[in-house]
Amino acid sequence: ANRTNSTVVLDLKSKRWSRPMCDGTDRDTSEANANFGDTQVKPLPPPRTHCAHFIYGPHLYIHGGEGASLPPSERHNKDGHHLPETDDDLNAAFSNKKQFVEITVLSDARPPRTCMDDMWMLDTSKRPLSWELIPTALSPLPRKSHTTAIASHLGEAVVILFGGAPSGRKDPSNALYWVEAASLEGVGGKAKVAMWNRAAAKGAPPAPRYGHTCTRLTINKLAVFGGSGSNGELYNDIAILDTENFVWSIVGSWIGKEPAGRFGHAAFAVSSYDDRVDEQAYVGSHSTDVDSSSLIIFGGACLSSKEDAKSRKKFRRTKRRDGH
């Protein structure tokens, strides 16, 4: 399927979906709305999938992800076949089943994709909405299916990046990077630039992976769960990162039946899943001060069981299609 860079908003009160242009202009009028200041048309993030995201104040950030395919001059596989690029191309190829099998299965002809390392910010406090490209320095290698999360390091708010997979069939990563959140905002005399640092973490880090989740438990603790490794193995382990000193610890044992290994799932941290949650505790600035006691996992792609060798073999054979 084609990548997209469209932004869609749901108003929870009116239950109305809308599609703002997010380029500094107002879609609902014939010209830019001068009441909102700067009306210059601004660039949009390139279309992508599997990007990481986080929220800091009223600002929504995205980082990296997998973008478009190769330029037209390079859109042929090693056997000389033209690579399908759109759903229409695939449907046309499928009409000739022999050709479809040759160019999409036997020749591994899915269009190569390019990962990115850029960072964009959407300011939700202003109208009309518009994206802004944040300058970066010493950026981690381009990647997809990684995670970013806000936490505290030495008393300062930082963005922590973990894991992910690069373009092509290269192995995923378990490297840890961080950047000061204030530098993204351009406050306190700091320039608005993402100056990345690689963390020299202590302890036993989780295995390299992508498609995992990284969930904030407290102001200085993150929980990494699940994901997929380079050999197709699906993880169900939990690693805790102390972000104040960058120390990893693995949760070695637990009570009850553990969830199956998986990737592409969702994870949520709440104060308790069996008690009524105080809604006000999660509203506004106080939402970042609530410690969590429960980690809830939902969905994802997993095998039927650890002993299902046939399913595991099939997953290893097809796992390279992730993100195609």
Side-chain angles (χ1 to χ4, degrees):
N2 294 328
R3 273 61 177 156
T4 179
N5 63 350
S6 62
T7 303
V8 185
V9 179
L10 172 64
D11 187 315
L12 296 177
K13 292 183 178 179
S14 64
K15 299 181 181 179
R16 179 177 180 269
W17 287 102
S18 62
R19 287 179 170 267
M21 293 291 286
C22 291
D23 61 359
T25 62
D26 192 341
R27 187 188 184 102
D28 296 329
T29 61
S30 58
E31 58 185 6
N33 190 333
N35 294 330
F36 296 112
D38 184 11
T39 59
Q40 181 180 1
V41 175
K42 298 179 179 180
L44 297 173
R48 67 191 67 200
T49 184
H50 300 314
C51 59
H53 65 277
F54 61 94
I55 296 175
Y56 186 63
H59 299 153
L60 185 153
Y61 292 86
I62 62 171
H63 177 271
E66 187 180 71
S69 59
L70 296 174
S73 60
E74 302 179 34
R75 290 171 184 165
H76 293 80
N77 68 353
K78 62 184 179 181
D79 299 319
H81 292 293
H82 179 74
L83 300 177
E85 300 176 58
T86 67
D87 292 339
D88 290 339
D89 292 336
L90 287 174
N91 290 336
F94 186 71
S95 64
N96 182 341
K97 293 182 176 60
K98 182 175 183 295
Q99 180 195 32
F100 179 82
V101 171
E102 287 178 349
I103 69 175
T104 64
V105 179
L106 300 183
S107 299
D108 188 27
R110 283 288 185 173
R113 303 291 184 177
T114 302
C115 288
M116 295 173 278
D117 63 355
D118 54 349
M119 179 177 288
W120 292 78
M121 178 190 75
L122 182 67
D123 189 347
T124 63
S125 67
K126 298 179 180 179
R127 298 293 185 275
L129 297 174
S130 63
W131 285 99
E132 178 183 354
L133 176 64
I134 304 298
T136 61
L138 303 178
S139 299
L141 291 175
R143 64 193 63 209
K144 64 179 180 179
S145 300
H146 53 298
T147 54
T148 49
I150 291 283
S152 173
H153 175 58
L154 302 180
E156 299 291 335
V158 298
V159 180
I160 295 178
L161 182 153
F162 173 74
S167 301
R169 296 188 181 183
K170 298 178 182 178
D171 292 339
S173 168
N174 67 346
L176 197 65
Y177 298 87
W178 64 276
V179 61
E180 292 183 355
S183 67
L184 306 178
E185 306 283 296
V187 299
K190 299 180 183 293
K192 186 179 289 188
V193 58
M195 180 67 72
W196 287 97
N197 306 272
R198 181 160 182 173
K202 301 176 183 179
R209 65 192 64 201
Y210 67 98
H212 56 280
T213 52
C214 182
T215 309
R216 175 173 160 165
L217 303 179
T218 69
I219 194 172
N220 57 9
K221 281 186 172 54
L222 301 176
V224 171
F225 173 80
S228 176
S230 58
N231 63 350
E233 181 177 2
L234 298 181
Y235 298 113
N236 68 342
D237 56 345
I238 298 178
I240 306 297
L241 176 66
D242 178 346
T243 62
E244 284 295 341
N245 302 297
F246 290 136
V247 178
W248 286 107
S249 60
I250 305 296
V251 179
S253 61
W254 45 70
I255 300 173
K257 181 176 176 57
E258 70 273 16
R262 66 193 64 205
F263 76 107
H265 53 284
F268 312 89
V270 297
S271 61
S272 177
Y273 74 90
D274 56 359
D275 296 328
R276 180 178 294 276
V277 177
D278 181 4
E279 181 179 356
Q280 294 302 316
Y282 290 85
V283 177
S285 60
H286 298 292
S287 62
T288 60
D289 300 326
V290 177
D291 290 349
S292 303
S293 62
S294 298
L295 183 66
I296 298 178
I297 309 297
F298 175 78
C302 58
L303 302 180
S304 56
S305 69
K306 289 185 177 180
E307 294 75 29
D308 193 340
K310 183 177 180 180
S311 295
R312 184 172 297 278
K313 182 178 180 181
K314 180 179 179 181
F315 177 77
R316 288 180 177 176
R317 186 172 66 248
T318 60
K319 58 102 178 177
R320 56 187 170 81
R321 298 286 190 187
D322 175 68
H324 67 276

